[in-house]
Amino acid sequence: MNSIRNRIQNTLIGMILVVGVFAAIMFLVNQLNVYQNQRIIQTMTMEYSIISMSDNLIKTYNNAGKNSGNMQFFSEYRTIKENLLNVIILLKTRIVSEESRMLLLGVEHTANMVISECDAGLKEIKAGELQNFSEHFAQAHKENEFVQSNTATLLQKELEYLSSTQEKSQQLYFITLITSSIIFLFVIFVMIIYASNFSKQLINPIENLTKSVEQVAAGKMDVLINQELINQKDEVGILSRSFEMMVINIKDMITKLNYSNIQITNSKDALEKGNTELKKLNQFMVDREIKMIELKKRISELEKSSMQQGKI
Amino acid sequence: MTTSKLEWDEKYSVGVQQIDNQHKKMFDTINRLIELLASKPTQSDVDSIVKALVEYKQFHFKTEEDYFDKFNYEHKEEHKAKHREFNSKLVSLIDLYKEDTIALAFSLVNFLEDWLIDHLMVEDQKYIECFRAHGLK
């Protein structure tokens, strides 16, 4: 049965779903934006660390040269070198923009130059040949400046990218907000029209039925209930059918009552007629008794007069 | 319910058995009608007995009048006039109560009794001598 209760429930569920979906979309867009920004900032931090690592690398190389034979600087150098290479590999997977990717390749190239210069120097130190130490250091220092300048350029590009991404995501956010608002307003509009239609559908039959009920209340039992109401498959339909049944039953009762009233009137008339006849008969009897007394008086008078005539 | 009846008495006799019998019969019929009226009669019961009474009355008048003519009774025209007067009163009564048989029956009984007593004790007494003189008993 397509009951009124079900329709109201479905409408409410529909409204809650629409509002929920738009809230979820807005939340997701916002979260995506925050995540993107965080990722870009992390990437930039990593890029920035290349500068210090490259600096540390040549410092360690210098220390290793000055304190030749101290293995601590060798292992420190290896760690820094591995970290630097790892960061560059990791950055390759994280960098998205094509321009930054090209700049990263430049950074990698110059970093490799620094590393190969220092590696070559360290190899000679291990072999005890210290004559080229300063030359390698000066070369590495020069390459390090390129690393630094290239990384700075990369950072600048990344900043520009971040700024453009933020702008884009802000635009996206704005577009989503506008679109969502428009769709939301449209849905609300549709809902209002639906609710108005629905209430008309609900109220019109009730008003219709109310008219019939008022007529019956005013005593007009020959009221006709709209056939559409009777056929309706909801609570109003049930109400209309019950009401129709009630009117039929009342009519039936009235007919029965009228019939018994007629019967009572008939019996009353018959009784009254009988009574009248009885009264009439009684009156005749009483009149007759009076008349008999007079008649007997007359008989004795006549008797007397005939006796007198007889005497004469 | 019971009501007084008028019973036959020798003082009503005209000394002629045939005519006395007819008078007795009329007393009887009137009394039967009175009894019937006292026992809530139906219209048709009353109707039939009233009709019988009226018919018998006419028959009785004819008997008397035949003797008047036969004996050439001196007051015969006067007496016949009484009979006609009775008949016209009867007709007017029947006409008056044609809608109500029971009322008709009552007024008929009262009228018949009054008339019968007067007639028997006054008019009929007059022809006794004439009838006797012609040998009627």
Side-chain angles (χ1 to χ4, degrees):
Chain A
M1 190 186 71
N2 189 14
S3 70
I4 293 166
R5 185 202 297 262
N6 285 351
R7 283 159 81 183
I8 290 172
Q9 269 178 4
N10 291 344
T11 311
L12 276 175
I13 289 170
M15 282 178 82
I16 289 166
L17 272 178
V18 166
V19 172
V21 164
F22 284 118
I25 287 172
M26 293 306 290
F27 178 74
L28 281 178
V29 166
N30 200 33
Q31 280 305 102
L32 190 71
N33 198 15
V34 168
Y35 172 74
Q36 270 185 341
N37 287 348
Q38 271 180 349
R39 198 176 158 87
I40 290 169
I41 288 164
Q42 275 171 5
T43 310
M44 283 174 77
T45 312
M46 281 157 81
E47 282 162 359
Y48 189 72
S49 70
I50 291 174
I51 296 173
S52 57
M53 277 194 279
S54 181
D55 269 352
N56 283 341
L57 197 73
I58 54 167
K59 270 181 200 162
T60 315
Y61 166 74
N62 194 24
N63 285 338
K66 281 177 180 162
N67 310 289
S68 58
N70 193 339
M71 293 311 283
Q72 195 203 326
F73 291 112
F74 283 92
S75 70
E76 201 179 309
Y77 173 83
R78 268 201 303 277
T79 312
I80 294 168
K81 183 182 136 188
E82 272 168 27
N83 282 345
L84 181 60
L85 289 172
N86 281 340
V87 163
I88 289 170
I89 290 164
L90 199 61
L91 276 174
K92 277 182 178 169
T93 64
R94 289 180 74 110
I95 284 177
V96 189
S97 100
E98 201 53 40
E99 230 175 346
S100 301
R101 200 181 278 277
M102 295 303 287
L103 285 170
L104 181 68
L105 284 177
V107 172
E108 191 190 11
H109 179 72
T110 45
N112 279 337
M113 293 289 275
V114 172
I115 289 167
S116 65
E117 206 60 51
C118 291
D119 277 359
L122 282 177
K123 220 179 191 175
E124 285 173 13
I125 291 166
K126 271 185 188 170
E129 298 165 10
L130 289 169
Q131 67 270 28
N132 290 326
F133 165 73
S134 295
E135 212 171 298
H136 283 302
F137 179 74
Q139 195 61 37
H141 193 75
K142 208 192 265 176
E143 294 296 340
N144 185 37
E145 274 175 10
F146 282 120
V147 168
Q148 292 199 353
S149 105
N150 278 348
T151 308
T153 316
L154 175 64
L155 275 171
Q156 198 186 339
K157 273 287 157 213
E158 285 287 88
L159 264 176
E160 279 170 16
Y161 177 67
L162 176 67
S163 151
S164 82
T165 311
Q166 260 192 337
E167 215 167 279
K168 268 184 198 164
S169 65
Q170 231 167 8
Q171 272 176 357
L172 179 70
Y173 187 77
F174 187 67
I175 288 167
T176 314
L177 189 70
I178 293 286
T179 317
S180 299
S181 301
I182 288 170
I183 292 173
F184 190 75
L185 284 177
F186 177 73
V187 168
I188 292 287
F189 179 69
V190 168
M191 284 285 176
I192 287 170
I193 288 174
Y194 179 74
S196 135
N197 275 347
F198 177 58
S199 60
K200 263 185 208 161
Q201 274 178 12
L202 184 69
I203 286 166
N204 285 354
I206 291 175
E207 277 181 346
N208 222 327
L209 190 62
T210 306
K211 276 177 197 159
S212 302
V213 174
E214 278 171 350
Q215 281 188 20
V216 171
K220 285 179 193 161
M221 282 296 159
D222 51 349
V223 65
L224 279 175
I225 298 156
N226 196 327
Q227 203 55 39
E228 279 175 29
L229 288 180
I230 302 287
N231 294 336
Q232 222 162 293
K233 285 187 172 111
D234 56 12
E235 287 85 345
V236 175
I238 296 173
L239 193 65
S240 307
R241 287 191 287 279
S242 305
F243 179 63
E244 191 188 39
M245 207 60 227
M246 190 184 88
V247 171
I248 289 170
N249 283 338
I250 290 176
K251 272 191 207 164
D252 195 37
M253 278 192 262
I254 290 174
T255 311
K256 280 179 188 163
L257 207 64
N258 280 345
Y259 181 68
S260 14
N261 265 349
I262 288 167
Q263 277 188 326
I264 289 170
T265 311
N266 284 349
S267 331
K268 196 181 139 217
D269 286 352
L271 211 63
E272 274 176 359
K273 203 178 163 194
N275 253 349
T276 317
E277 276 182 7
L278 207 63
K279 270 186 194 163
K280 205 158 77 181
L281 272 176
N282 280 343
Q283 191 56 48
F284 280 134
M285 294 299 183
V286 170
D287 290 349
R288 186 175 155 65
E289 290 307 310
I290 296 165
K291 183 241 154 198
M292 282 305 282
I293 293 164
E294 281 169 4
L295 187 61
K296 276 172 185 164
K297 226 186 266 174
R298 169 98 180 119
I299 289 168
S300 59
E301 272 170 23
L302 283 172
E303 241 177 324
K304 272 180 200 167
S305 75
S306 78
M307 274 166 72
Q308 274 172 356
Q309 272 181 356
K311 277 176 192 171
I312 292 161
Chain B
M1 190 187 276
T2 56
T3 183
S4 310
K5 289 176 197 166
L6 196 63
E7 299 296 340
W8 171 260
D9 193 281
E10 276 308 309
K11 64 191 171 209
Y12 307 133
S13 170
V14 292
V16 180
Q17 202 175 5
Q18 187 197 2
I19 293 173
D20 276 351
N21 282 348
Q22 285 183 359
H23 285 155
K24 280 179 195 169
K25 169 100 175 157
M26 271 191 286
F27 270 85
D28 272 358
T29 315
I30 289 169
N31 286 337
R32 255 177 52 218
L33 185 56
I34 292 165
E35 275 173 27
L36 187 72
L37 286 171
S39 63
K40 293 184 196 168
T42 64
Q43 297 250 328
S44 61
D45 288 341
V46 178
D47 267 346
S48 61
I49 203 156
V50 165
K51 207 174 165 193
L53 188 63
V54 171
E55 275 171 6
Y56 195 76
K57 191 75 199 163
Q58 301 308 321
F59 166 69
H60 168 66
F61 282 170
K62 194 167 185 319
T63 310
E64 275 190 350
E65 286 174 12
D66 282 350
Y67 282 124
F68 294 160
D69 290 338
K70 199 172 168 188
F71 305 145
N72 203 13
Y73 171 53
E74 60 175 324
H75 301 298
K76 70 173 180 184
E77 291 310 323
E78 206 182 314
H79 202 123
K80 280 181 185 175
K82 292 280 183 189
H83 285 174
R84 277 197 296 279
E85 191 191 327
F86 172 86
N87 277 342
S88 73
K89 271 194 175 174
L90 191 67
V91 168
S92 67
L93 261 185
I94 288 170
D95 189 53
L96 185 64
Y97 294 111
K98 61 187 168 193
E99 297 294 325
D100 190 345
T101 317
I102 289 169
L104 172 66
F106 269 102
S107 41
L108 212 55
V109 165
N110 291 342
F111 167 64
L112 279 173
E113 278 174 345
D114 286 350
W115 191 84
L116 204 55
I117 293 300
D118 261 15
H119 197 68
L120 284 180
M121 295 184 78
V122 181
E123 296 301 323
D124 285 1
Q125 297 296 324
K126 291 178 184 167
Y127 64 62
I128 294 176
E129 276 182 43
C130 172
F131 281 20
R132 275 183 185 160
H134 288 88
L136 271 183
K137 278 185 184 172

